[in-house]
Amino acid sequence: MTDPYAIQPSELDQLPDRDPEETAEWQASLDAVAKAAGPHRAAYLMRRTLERAEGNGIALPKLLETDYVNTIPTSAEPSAPGDEEMERKITAWNRWNAAAMVTRGSQYGVGGHIATFASAAWLYETGFNHFFKGKEADGSGDQLYIQGHASPGIYARAFLDGRLDERQLDNFRRESGGNGLPSYPHPRRLPWLWEFPTVSMGLGPLSAIYQARFNRYLTARGIKDVSDSHVWAFLGDGEMDEPESTAALALASREGLDNLTFVINCNLQRLDGPVRANFKIVQELEAQFRGAGWNVIKTLWGTAWDELFQLDTTGALVRRLREVPDAQVQTYQTRGAAYIREDFFGKDPALAEMAKLLSDDKILECFHLSRGGHEARKVYAAYKAAVEFKGAPTVILAQTVKGHTLGEGFASKNANHQMKKLSVDEFKTMRDLLELPIKDSDFVDGVVPYGHPGADSPEVRYLQERRAALGGPAPARRTHALAPLPAPAEKAFASFDKGSGSQNVATTMAFVRLIKDLVRDKETGRRWVPIVPDEARTFGMESLFPSLGIYSPKGQTYEPVDRDQLMYYKEAKNGQILNEGITEAGSMADFIAASTAYSTHGEAMIPFYIFYSMFGWQRTADQMWQLGDQLGRGFLVGATAGRTTLTGEGLQHADGHSPVIAATNPASLTYDPAFAYEVAAIVKDGLRRMYGEAAPGEDPNVFYYLTVYNEPMPQPAKPSGPGVDEGIVKGLYRFNTAESAGLDAAAANAPRIQLLSSGTAIHWALKAQRLLAEEWGVAADVWSATSWTELRRDALEADAALLRGEERVPYLRQALHGAEGPVLAVSDYMRQVPDQIAQWVEQDYSSLGADGFGLSDTREGARRHFGVDAESIVVAALAQLARRGEVKATAVKEAREKYGL
């Protein structure tokens, strides 16, 4: 059968051969080697030749896979500084306390993971002792993305270092008492220790790439030189199945992010079993990363394997290692020497002869214990090579055994991820293996003790001296005493108060215009970080291209096709805009890095990320949760919002629910402004709260979500009545009354109703207000509900206060107090959005919304379909009043017929 991927003769004919005779000689040489020494030798020579060509800069397709051996041979390993024996003792204490912490916690049923850190201990310890820069030296230190399931080991090290005590270890996963430790890296729960949430798998690697990229952005723009910071992401081989884990590999290599290292703990196991039972995950990852342009370092085998490789004069061992599937490697870990002799060595005559030279102990040492990720010198060599490599990011594929040192009941067992404790006998076996000075009498009533050599012990002094030399404790999150950013000039916000006159302006355009003014501010303008996923022109942002520039580490190496136009496409090394292409996930990772720069780098940055409303929360809500956990600050802007305002696009573009998803995030302040002046007021307040002087009791570690619309409408002037600014921020104010709207039919004794509306729906409510007055003799007051969610949260807080014996009236009730008639709420979203406040409204309450799937139609057609247009509001209002006996019941039927409903 012909290989469909092989180069066919017709293709070769297209390549000019300047010396056919020389080509024939090379081919004949290869044929001769294959005939004389076998195809494996020929393949070996070809690989070495390709490697030499790549090393000499000759343009050839890259070799995507290498042999299943260490990239750095033992003979080329550098001497590791420090005291390896002392580091072994420190690692032993940390292994013990990590396992003890989870086991002791298991009595409460709170869970925990033992096996992950057991496999990765040396990957972390080597970094902590020799590579990870802390935050007490100059610069920002390194950024560490710790694998979530390894958190017990990080807590154990902090305990040894004196940063945690036994009481806190005993409260692992029990936080409600105030002295507990969160299950995983959660900055919001332990803000002095953790910087980056990682346990929602896949988000750690994605965020690490964009953090490394944002570090370059800060340096290039002259905000802060963070070129000495290195980003380390610790990942699991199973985690790499998540699409987010590999989504930005090409970005990292394309931009040459050599300030980034991935360390993938290849223990060959995921939660239920082998990562690649019938294949080899290391080889797969190597090809994937090499293909994306990364530098790949494989650290697979420990020094015990050196003897075996020296005996492998035919290459049979290397060939066998390449062909054995991962699940079988796991089986070798749990079987005796006889089984390994037969199944591994017995498959090849040359290997069978080799095995005769090996003792059973040697075989078991190699197959049970000796992995590259378990030896400090191997890990040190890989890390040193990674930080010294220039021009591309590095991934280290470190092979380990999941459950290493935890005993035969754990190592490589399929179920070990779910195993939460060791027995006392297993702990004693572990103690003997680790050579720890823990006595049998220390196990009181069967409870495993924590171990500590003493605050002034050689181990603790060594640990602290190494961290001092590297710039202080790690991981650590720094809280900077930053001066509040000065408020931008009032003119930028006040210009919206007078309205747009006869000009129709969409709130999306109002927001963009506001940003254009704010980025010109002399004090804070340079701190804005505009982020957009390849939709800048959709949102009318192209005018920012030439003035701010689009960030590119290469600048602009070409002449743009629109260079002769005023708003040409301009890329620059110090560009301010982050235009990420079509990736909401990448844009959110950008936003997270920028929104937490106040802590990571001590530089307050003001990101705003503008996106298709439908494609923000729905696609990347998990990252919004990560953003809240990481205490990020900034503005998310859902543009072309609403179910019915995006004409023609249809079901998958019509957002009727993003405020519902946003409402589930406690850190998100969700607003649906109707008018330009409301947008300005909300942004102004957000800048004050997040970057200026937060009021007492206000948490500055929040982010704002604004929905803005692409429907051009007249923008009215801001009402002059009292409480408008407060109402905009708190979520509700009365925009007008029937009387102030000049509706003569609104007599003093007319039936009255309160119309609450948000976003673009206020325009339907205003039209309904006029129809109710002119055609049905009903007076309606129109309210702008800028935030249903904030109204609800305030009411929930009032309820909680009442349970504490405190008298507090929700703002919603205060605002609606004395308002006559029933309340009808309407928005361009599903009814669940306005119904958030229903239980706290004292008046009769009903709502309208755009429930169901979206559809392609005109705005008018879509609104009639969902029953939210002005005429539908009129019918719903009359129905409410009819139920109260304030209008005739026949009025409802008459209105339906009149409006064709």
Side-chain angles (χ1 to χ4, degrees), residues 144-146 148 184-188 194-200 203-205 207 592 625-631:
L144 308 181
Y145 288 77
I146 305 294
Y184 303 124
H186 293 306
R188 188 169 284 275
W194 298 120
E195 273 197 290
F196 306 107
T198 57
V199 80
S200 188
L203 299 191
S207 293
I592 292 170
W625 205 261
Q626 177 191 11
L627 167 65
D629 192 349
Q630 201 166 318
L631 309 176

Side-chain angles (χ1 to χ4, degrees), residues 257-309:
L257 298 181
D258 50 25
N259 60 338
L260 170 68
T261 297
F262 276 15
V263 181
I264 303 182
N265 178 16
C266 297
N267 57 35
L268 313 185
Q269 286 185 252
R270 53 189 179 198
L271 275 63
D272 288 333
V275 179
R276 293 290 183 271
N278 296 295
F279 306 93
K280 301 191 79 65
I281 186 60
V282 169
Q283 299 299 92
E284 178 182 320
L285 292 174
E286 178 184 27
Q288 191 170 18
F289 278 87
R290 283 188 185 276
W294 285 54
N295 175 44
V296 179
I297 299 173
K298 294 197 290 193
T299 303
L300 307 180
W301 308 112
T303 53
W305 283 82
D306 288 350
E307 179 183 342
L308 276 68
F309 288 125

Side-chain angles (χ1 to χ4, degrees), residues 200-521:
S200 188
M201 293 200 303
L203 299 191
L206 179 68
S207 293
I209 290 173
Y210 280 90
Q211 181 66 56
R213 197 282 196 92
F214 189 74
N215 290 357
R216 291 281 175 86
Y217 170 89
L218 283 181
T219 302
R221 290 197 52 224
I223 302 293
K224 182 180 182 180
D225 184 355
V226 295
S227 54
D228 195 41
S229 289
H230 200 88
V231 178
W232 299 82
F234 289 83
L235 318 168
D237 46 2
E239 180 180 7
M240 300 310 294
D241 283 347
E242 294 283 3
E244 295 89 350
S245 294
T246 55
L249 298 187
L251 166 71
S253 61
R254 183 170 66 244
E255 299 201 0
L257 298 181
D258 50 25
N259 60 338
L260 170 68
T261 297
F262 276 15
V263 181
I264 303 182
N265 178 16
C266 297
N267 57 35
L268 313 185
Q269 286 185 252
R270 53 189 179 198
L271 275 63
D272 288 333
V275 179
R276 293 290 183 271
N278 296 295
F279 306 93
K280 301 191 79 65
I281 186 60
V282 169
Q283 299 299 92
E284 178 182 320
L285 292 174
E286 178 184 27
Q288 191 170 18
F289 278 87
R290 283 188 185 276
W294 285 54
N295 175 44
V296 179
I297 299 173
K298 294 197 290 193
T299 303
L300 307 180
W301 308 112
T303 53
W305 283 82
D306 288 350
E307 179 183 342
L308 276 68
F309 288 125
Q310 290 169 3
L311 294 172
D312 185 29
T313 58
T314 65
L317 176 62
V318 173
R319 290 196 299 273
R320 182 69 177 134
L321 289 173
R322 280 180 61 91
E323 69 187 21
V324 175
D326 284 351
Q328 192 64 23
V329 174
Q330 298 294 80
T331 298
Y332 295 149
Q333 177 69 35
T334 63
R335 300 297 178 87
Y339 178 88
I340 298 171
R341 285 181 186 277
E342 178 182 353
D343 192 86
F344 181 82
F345 292 98
K347 302 293 186 182
D348 186 292
L351 289 181
E353 289 299 313
M354 179 191 296
K356 294 177 181 178
L357 304 174
L358 304 175
S359 68
D360 285 356
D361 287 344
K362 182 64 176 180
I363 289 175
L364 293 179
E365 180 187 14
C366 289
F367 283 84
H368 284 194
L369 301 174
S370 189
R371 299 290 187 273
H374 296 323
E375 294 190 12
R377 64 185 67 185
K378 302 290 184 184
V379 177
Y380 179 86
Y383 285 8
K384 188 172 187 293
V387 297
E388 291 177 353
F389 190 86
K390 301 303 177 186
T394 293
V395 60
I396 296 169
L397 304 174
Q399 185 164 268
T400 66
V401 174
K402 193 166 186 176
H404 182 60
T405 74
L406 297 180
E408 294 181 359
F410 263 83
S412 293
K413 294 298 178 65
N414 282 340
N416 63 19
H417 191 81
Q418 308 302 329
M419 297 162 69
K420 312 300 183 188
K421 60 183 178 180
L422 296 172
S423 68
V424 169
D425 288 340
E426 287 171 326
F427 266 109
K428 290 178 179 179
T429 300
M430 180 183 177
R431 171 201 61 189
D432 297 340
L433 176 65
L434 298 176
E435 300 177 354
L436 291 172
I438 297 173
K439 301 185 294 293
D440 285 354
S441 59
D442 293 334
F443 292 80
V444 179
D445 297 327
V447 177
V448 57
Y450 293 119
H452 200 293
D456 196 40
S457 64
E459 294 95 324
V460 173
R461 289 201 307 270
Y462 180 89
L463 182 155
Q464 293 175 342
E465 288 168 2
R466 292 306 310 145
R467 288 312 315 158
L470 288 165
R477 181 178 181 273
R478 181 180 290 178
T479 301
H480 298 268
L482 297 179
L485 292 183
E490 181 63 26
K491 181 174 67 173
F493 306 103
S495 62
F496 293 91
D497 291 352
K498 61 184 179 182
S500 64
S502 60
Q503 182 182 8
N504 288 340
V505 177
T507 50
T508 296
M509 292 309 304
F511 177 81
V512 172
R513 178 185 150 191
L514 174 63
I515 294 299
K516 287 174 65 176
D517 290 340
L518 293 175
V519 296
R520 295 192 188 104
D521 186 84

Side-chain angles (χ1 to χ4, degrees), residues 627-886:
L627 167 65
D629 192 349
Q630 201 166 318
L631 309 176
R633 306 169 183 175
F635 297 95
L636 298 174
V637 183
T640 60
R643 183 79 84 191
T644 70
T645 60
L646 190 57
T647 57
E649 293 285 2
L651 186 151
Q652 286 189 294
H653 283 65
D655 171 24
H657 56 280
S658 71
V660 177
I661 307 175
T664 66
N665 191 309
S668 174
L669 277 62
T670 304
Y671 287 91
D672 186 24
F675 303 123
Y677 67 79
E678 293 178 353
V679 172
I682 293 164
V683 171
K684 178 182 177 181
D685 187 71
L687 290 173
R688 174 201 61 79
R689 176 170 177 171
M690 295 184 292
Y691 300 97
E693 297 283 359
E698 278 187 327
D699 182 4
N701 298 316
V702 295
F703 58 93
Y704 283 62
Y705 175 50
L706 282 74
T707 49
V708 293
Y709 299 83
N710 70 333
E711 184 175 12
M713 299 294 288
Q715 295 297 325
K718 183 164 70 172
S720 57
V724 173
D725 287 331
E726 178 189 28
I728 292 173
V729 173
K730 290 192 171 183
L732 183 69
Y733 69 96
R734 181 152 40 197
F735 176 72
N736 70 12
T737 63
E739 292 76 13
S740 65
L743 298 172
D744 296 335
N749 59 350
R752 186 171 290 269
I753 191 168
Q754 308 298 318
L755 301 180
L756 276 57
S757 53
S758 67
T760 196
I762 201 167
H763 299 287
W764 324 329
L766 289 170
K767 180 179 178 183
Q769 178 190 45
R770 178 175 55 81
L771 293 175
L772 284 167
E774 295 178 353
E775 300 182 5
W776 305 98
V778 172
D781 299 339
V782 175
W783 300 69
S784 179
T786 54
S787 180
W788 309 100
T789 302
E790 286 306 295
L791 291 172
R792 174 180 176 81
R793 287 177 178 170
D794 174 76
L796 288 171
E797 290 173 5
D799 285 355
L802 285 173
L803 292 177
R804 296 192 300 267
E806 304 170 15
E807 290 293 332
R808 181 178 163 192
V809 179
Y811 172 80
L812 172 63
R813 284 189 178 170
Q814 295 178 43
L816 289 176
H817 180 70
E820 298 178 34
V823 168
L824 174 62
V826 61
S827 79
D828 202 17
Y829 296 95
M830 57 195 302
R831 289 176 59 182
Q832 187 174 339
V833 175
D835 283 353
Q836 291 181 86
I837 67 170
Q839 71 185 81
W840 293 279
V841 176
E842 294 179 328
Q843 294 87 344
D844 291 341
Y845 184 90
S846 64
S847 64
L848 296 175
D851 285 78
F853 286 114
L855 76 166
S856 299
D857 210 319
T858 62
R859 291 184 178 118
E860 294 76 14
R863 286 162 189 166
R864 178 54 59 91
H865 169 81
F866 287 111
V868 293
D869 59 352
E871 291 78 7
S872 297
I873 294 174
V874 169
V875 172
L878 292 174
Q880 258 189 302
L881 293 168
R883 284 194 295 271
R884 295 162 58 93
E886 296 180 24

Side-chain angles (χ1 to χ4, degrees), residues 116-134:
T116 294
F117 177 73
S119 67
W122 276 114
L123 302 180
Y124 290 106
E125 289 301 322
T126 304
F128 285 129
N129 288 326
H130 301 290
F131 291 94
F132 303 158
K133 293 185 287 291

